[in-house]
């Protein structure tokens, strides 16, 4: 038995062991990010690549596993079998030839106590899969979770809520997200930054939006010219809409007082300060550990904000009574719009999560709205694709707040949708995460 496909890298069977552990953890409700952090550094990049692919194909793999083993083996063996099937079922996308993956999965099973006893069973299942691939894949196709690699409730909800875009969204969700940069245009134009990339022998990227640059291939951030000095940041194209949207139409002749209510890791706080460096920004974050990351981001950009670890829904614990000109509420949500970057999210969420989060989102809106100065803006956003966390929250809020006026907003931005574009409200703009944006203006009471 070879030690694996990588001549210099770690043996494949070891990567498969860690990938299977990650799959088992996600199926038990734990986040993939936390799992990957625990993987030894030398094995992490390989494990991440394989486990991202396994997450994207887990619906298919579980369906195939049920066909091969109607009585599921114990969790560790089940996770290893699913991981191998996820990686090898589609020959066109498999990272290694099928027989290599199968040999190495069996080796992985043999070499750890939790799966040793099932090594023969795993071997038999996977070899049967290689022999009967076409028929088994065709049978699995009847299961929508296999077809779309998302839970059934998710597929059905998408079809109900975004009928024209659901399938394009599901296809897009299977692709890795591009690396998108936000050029700090206070320091130089997007075109100038493209020239800097080219001068370093890197492709110039594709401009997107006012400050964005999409790279054809991801690169380590320290290779980006001027990254350490804050000339450029990494931020999805849809997320780059937040700061300009919130600031548009607000007074330009005085320093604004801005609240970024749910701020960590500070991507949008930094953008607000790039656009209005003189603004007095209060950045709140309930998780003290995550709040530290805001400091790191702002330091790199050489901008300043007051950062506090606090609960935005309890202003009496942190508000000094001075109203805000602008409030950014990037609310906690299911993160269902960023499955390309976090492919485990689809398997971690439960059907009732949106409704529960919607109650938190409504509470945050209700508690923060009184802190907004008349004439001010509150931008509500989530990186969720579900209407319960977008339109529904905002429409209900408008119903109970006559001073809130909805300004033209992107609404639900659907990632990389390829289908026909419906009227304003749902936007298919292309290569970006799925976000929801509603800009609320505080004006005279509606009658
Ligand atoms: C979507 S993330 C924010 C991303 C951030 N705006 C950015 O662009 O980098 C939501 C954040 O809100 C925080 N959060 C959740 N509930 C909160 C609350 N009640 N008060 C303050 N922060 C909260 C979460 O810990 C999480 O870091």
């Amino acid at each position: 038995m070879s030690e694996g496909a990588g001549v210099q890298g770690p043996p494949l069977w070891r990567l498969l062991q860690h990938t299977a552990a990650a799959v088992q953890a996600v199926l038990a409700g734990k986040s993939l990010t936390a799992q990957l952090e625990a993987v030894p550094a030398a094995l992490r990049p390989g494990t991440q690549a394989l486990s991202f692919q396994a997450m994207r194909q887990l619906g298919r793999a579980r369906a195939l596993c049920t066909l091969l083993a109607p009585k599921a083996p114990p969790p560790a063996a089940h996770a290893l079998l699913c991981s191998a099937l996820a990686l090898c079922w589609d020959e066109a996308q498999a990272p290694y030839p099928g027989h290599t993956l199968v040999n190495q999965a069996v080796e992985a099973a043999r070499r750890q106590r939790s799966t040793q006893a099932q090594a023969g069973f795993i071997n038999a299942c996977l070899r049967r899969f290689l022999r009967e691939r076409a028929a088994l894949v065709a049978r699995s196709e009847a299961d929508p979770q296999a077809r779309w690699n998302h839970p059934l409730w998710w597929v059905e909800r998408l079809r109900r809520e975004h009928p024209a875009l659901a399938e394009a969204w599901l296809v897009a969700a299977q692709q890795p997200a591009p690396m998108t940069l936000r050029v700090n245009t206070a320091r130089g134009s997007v075109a100038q930054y493209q020239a800097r990339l080219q001068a370093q022998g890197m492709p110039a990227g594709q401009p997107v939006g006012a400050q964005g640059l999409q790279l054809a291939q991801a690169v380590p951030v320290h290779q980006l010219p001027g990254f350490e000095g804050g000339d450029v940041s990494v931020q999805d194209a849809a997320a780059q809409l937040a700061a300009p949207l919130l600031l548009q139409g607000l007074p330009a002749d005085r320093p604004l007082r801005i609240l970024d209510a749910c701020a960590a890791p500070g991507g949008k706080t930094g953008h607000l300060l790039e656009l209005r460096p003189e603004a007095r920004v209060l950045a709140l974050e309930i998780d003290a550990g995550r709040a530290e990351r805001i400091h790191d981001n702002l330091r790199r950009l050489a901008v300043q904000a007051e950062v506090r670890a606090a609960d935005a829904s309890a202003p009496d614990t942190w508000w000094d009574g001075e109203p805000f000109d602008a409030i950014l509420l990037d609310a906690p949500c299911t993160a269902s719009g960023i499955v390309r970057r976090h492919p485990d999210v689809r398997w971690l969420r439960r059907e009732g999560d949106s409704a529960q989060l919607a109650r938190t989102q409504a509470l945050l809106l209700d508690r923060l709205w009184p802190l907004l100065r008349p004439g001010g803006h509150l931008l509500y956003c989530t990186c969720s694709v579900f209407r319960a966390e977008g339109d529904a929250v905002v429409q209900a809020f408008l119903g109970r707040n006559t001073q809130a006026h909805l300004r033209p907003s992107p609404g639900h931005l659907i990632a990389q949708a390829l289908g026909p574009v419906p009227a304003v409200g749902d936007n298919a703009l292309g290569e970006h995460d799925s976000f929801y944006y509603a800009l609320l203006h505080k004006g005279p009471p509606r009658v």
Side-chain angles (χ1 to χ4, degrees), residues 157 161 313 329-336 349-367 380-398 400 412 436:
R157 186 182 290 180
E161 297 189 358
S313 70
L329 174 52
D330 189 5
C333 70
T334 52
S336 53
R349 296 293 169 261
R350 297 291 169 256
E351 193 169 0
D353 289 355
S354 267
Q356 199 182 330
L357 281 156
R359 285 192 284 278
T360 303
Q361 292 153 355
L363 176 74
L364 283 163
L365 266 172
D366 286 344
R367 294 278 166 83
Y380 172 81
C381 62
T382 63
C383 56
S384 172
V385 74
F386 299 130
R387 292 197 187 279
E389 301 167 69
D391 271 351
V393 169
V394 168
Q395 290 306 328
F397 179 74
L398 288 169
R400 54 183 191 270
H412 284 279
Y436 175 80

Side-chain angles (χ1 to χ4, degrees), residues 12-23 46-62 64 79-102 104-105 108 126 129-130 133 137 149:
L12 180 53
W13 61 264
R14 289 196 70 196
L15 299 179
L16 287 171
Q17 285 178 337
H18 285 288
T19 301
V23 165
T47 304
Q48 172 161 328
L50 294 184
S51 49
F52 268 48
Q53 190 164 348
M55 288 299 137
R56 293 192 178 106
Q57 303 297 338
L58 197 53
R60 175 73 66 172
R62 289 165 89 186
L64 289 169
L80 183 55
L81 191 51
C82 281
S83 302
L85 287 166
L87 296 171
C88 78
W89 81 269
D90 180 359
E91 277 180 295
Q93 289 191 45
Y96 300 94
H99 67 270
T100 305
L101 278 163
V102 169
Q104 291 294 299
L126 291 175
F129 175 73
L130 291 184
R133 180 197 298 266
V137 169
N149 279 296

Side-chain angles (χ1 to χ4, degrees), residues 9 22 61 67 85 115 192 206 241 271 291 293 306 338 385 389 408 425:
L67 293 174
L85 287 166
T115 49
Q192 282 166 337
Q206 187 65 34
L241 297 178
H271 195 189
R293 294 178 57 195
E306 183 189 350
I338 54 171
V385 74
E389 301 167 69

